[in-house]
Structure formats: structure tokens, C-alpha cells
Amino acid sequence: MDPKGDNHIKELEKKITALSDALAHLGKGTSLHELLKIIRFPGYTTPAEFIFNVAILDSMQTQVGLLEKLGNDLLAGAKQVVQK
């Protein structure tokens, strides 16, 4: 492999590792566990705040699904390159 290709691999390894670590940390869900405690306090949400919270949570769930699909698609594409 040429030196430039080696640099590409090293850069990809750094990015893949950093993203994997970030997703693993995100997967712990500690901030959402804290949120579960907070929402139980009396008067936490007005009807408007409830709507905002639902919208944010729904968006976050959609983004998680998209991240999972994109990761699976990336892996599937990488496997196709290796098989050829």
C-alpha cells in the first residue's frame, strides 16, 4: 500500500474509533436516566412544555434510528468492497 493510502487508513481508524467511543458513551443514556428523575417533580411540564419535550424526544429517537441505518449501510458497503 502506498504511503498516502496508509495515511488514509490511519485517519479512518481514528474517526471510526472516535465515533464508536462517542456512540458507546451516548448508549449509556445517563442524561436520559437523569431526565426520568426530573420529570416526576410536580409541575414539571405545562402543556406547551410537554409538546416540546415530546417533539425533542421523537426527533432524538428518529436520529438514533438513522444513525443505526447509516452505520449498517456503511458496513454493508465496506463488505462489498472487500468481496470484490
Side-chain angles (χ1 to χ4, degrees):
M1 188 179 283
D2 67 327
K4 190 173 186 177
D6 286 343
N7 288 336
H8 289 170
I9 298 302
K10 288 177 184 175
E11 184 66 23
L12 286 173
E13 285 176 342
K14 285 182 197 175
K15 289 185 175 292
I16 292 167
T17 300
L19 179 57
S20 179
D21 291 347
L23 290 171
H25 177 73
L26 182 64
K28 292 178 183 173
T30 54
S31 61
L32 293 178
H33 285 299
E34 185 69 18
L35 183 58
L36 284 172
K37 295 175 189 173
I38 293 170
I39 64 171
R40 294 185 182 344
F41 287 104
Y44 171 72
T45 58
T46 64
E49 290 167 334
F50 173 75
I51 292 169
F52 290 141
N53 275 259
V54 168
I56 291 168
L57 291 167
D58 286 348
S59 178
M60 290 172 72
Q61 184 65 45
T62 298
Q63 290 176 38
V64 167
L66 291 172
L67 275 171
E68 182 176 22
K69 182 184 180 325
L70 190 55
N72 289 337
D73 291 349
L74 178 61
L75 183 57
K79 288 179 179 179
Q80 290 295 313
V81 171
V82 173
Q83 290 177 1
K84 292 184 178 184

